[in-house]
Amino acid sequence: QVQLVESGGGLVQAGGSLRLSCAASGIIFGIDAMGWFRQAPGKQRELVALIPSGGKTNNADSVKVRFTISRDIAKNIVGLQMNSLKPDDAAVYYCYVVISTNRLSSPGAYWGQGTQVTVSS
């Protein structure tokens, strides 16, 4: 069993900042990637930022200057520091983790429940 717990969402004025955090727990042999997606009403879910294990970070062009993704490997935590928030950033943000539960199984993708980020203008 794997559980992802997200925190840090809320309401912020345009130009403000928020920090999201996601902690993975449960039976975890290894984590292949951790990151964040978001989905606004009427829009497709889109990549925000991702850290693949052994690879470079991958950031959406719309946020790469303003958002910073980080990962605490020891604690299985991924964070997202969001600065200079815009109304277009308002969405439900979903933690995304690719996890192997043992050394023999294929990795699986897990999604958090989502945390709401609201940006007022």
Side-chain angles (χ1 to χ4, degrees):
Q1 187 176 29
V2 176
Q3 184 178 13
L4 305 180
V5 179
E6 301 154 316
S7 63
L11 173 65
V12 65
Q13 289 185 308
S17 298
L18 286 173
R19 180 173 175 82
L20 306 183
S21 181
C22 174
S25 62
I27 306 300
I28 300 174
F29 179 78
I31 294 180
D32 297 314
M34 301 188 77
W36 295 91
F37 288 71
R38 69 185 182 187
Q39 187 167 22
K43 300 181 66 176
Q44 292 182 301
R45 187 172 298 186
E46 63 178 356
L47 171 71
V48 178
L50 185 71
I51 302 181
S53 296
K56 67 178 182 179
T57 59
N58 187 8
N59 302 97
D61 290 340
S62 61
V63 306
K64 62 173 56 178
V65 176
R66 301 179 294 116
F67 293 7
T68 302
I69 188 170
S70 61
R71 179 180 172 184
D72 187 328
I73 297 175
K75 296 182 178 180
N76 294 330
I77 293 174
V78 61
L80 184 68
Q81 179 66 46
M82 305 185 295
N83 299 322
S84 301
L85 283 161
K86 305 175 180 179
D88 286 346
D89 295 319
V92 177
Y93 284 70
Y94 295 92
C95 181
Y96 173 81
V97 184
V98 180
I99 295 173
S100 297
T101 56
N102 61 67
R103 68 182 183 88
L104 300 177
S105 64
S106 299
Y110 296 84
W111 294 93
Q113 292 297 303
T115 183
Q116 178 71 53
V117 172
T118 303
V119 184
S120 63
S121 59

